[in-house]
Amino acid sequence: PGNVPSRGWLDSRYGRGRWTSGILLNLAIGQGEILATPLQIALVYGLIAGNGRCGRPYLVEQIDSAGCVVYQHQPEILSVPIDTKHLTAIRKGLTRVVEFGTARTAHMHNIAIAGKTGTAENPPRPDHAWFVCFAPADEPAVVFSILIENAGHGGAVAAPIAARLVEAWFSTAGL
């Protein structure tokens, strides 16, 4: 289910009010007790890309049995109110990460990508490389969440994979 620690959770873990600013700083950069799956992070980026709306993920669209549909998925839209001012700032930051920051390896000349790298520490093994993005940055059509276990830094390993996925997605779509 993931974990984004609340005050109550921190109090139960460290004692009432005994958690430090260092713990909070660690949480602010996605470290510490924060737990999220690639799908959960893709949903967050889908909400950012969709101005607070995105489709709920599903595994199977339909199931046939000898030409007869026995199950048909009914699409569901998730909606979270997000202030436009905050969405604008987040999107600008994500676009700049790809243009000028840690995800320059995902930069493409013909499609603007908005995304963020991540490096999940995994002692004593090598770090996990993350990159999550949507494209095109100004009118998103697709979200990718890439996690490569024990591969190092997100900008070096996962971001270039995302660029190849975006390129393949749009070349297949004929765009």
Side-chain angles (χ1 to χ4, degrees):
N3 185 43
V4 178
S6 64
R7 288 181 186 269
W9 190 94
L10 291 168
D11 283 345
S12 69
R13 170 88 182 233
Y14 295 103
R16 186 168 174 81
R18 298 194 59 202
W19 30 279
T20 65
S21 58
I23 290 169
L24 296 179
L25 289 170
N26 214 22
L27 294 173
I29 62 167
Q31 297 289 343
E33 290 87 356
I34 295 212
L35 298 174
T37 67
L39 180 58
Q40 290 168 327
I41 299 300
L43 272 173
V44 169
Y45 276 67
L47 289 165
I48 294 167
N51 297 316
R53 295 173 44 89
C54 74
R56 181 181 295 277
Y58 57 93
L59 293 176
V60 177
E61 185 170 351
Q62 72 180 35
I63 298 174
D64 287 321
S65 176
C68 179
V69 175
V70 294
Y71 170 80
Q72 178 72 47
H73 171 74
Q74 298 301 313
E76 182 182 348
I77 299 296
L78 301 173
S79 183
V80 175
I82 307 173
D83 188 310
T84 304
K85 172 179 68 176
H86 299 305
L87 277 172
T88 301
I90 291 167
R91 285 174 152 219
K92 182 177 183 179
L94 294 174
T95 302
R96 297 189 117 212
V97 167
V98 176
E99 290 175 345
F100 308 108
T102 57
R104 287 186 307 268
T105 54
H107 183 265
M108 299 175 69
H109 295 290
N110 57 337
I111 301 169
I113 297 174
K116 179 68 182 86
T117 61
T119 302
E121 296 173 342
N122 186 36
R125 293 188 180 140
D127 296 336
H128 301 317
W130 277 88
F131 185 68
V132 186
C133 66
F134 54 85
D138 54 349
E139 278 191 59
V142 66
V143 173
F144 288 106
S145 179
I146 293 111
L147 168 65
I148 312 296
E149 293 180 331
N150 307 118
H153 297 281
V157 179
I161 293 170
R164 291 196 303 268
L165 289 170
V166 167
E167 181 178 40
W169 175 269
F170 287 104
S171 68
T172 301
L175 303 174

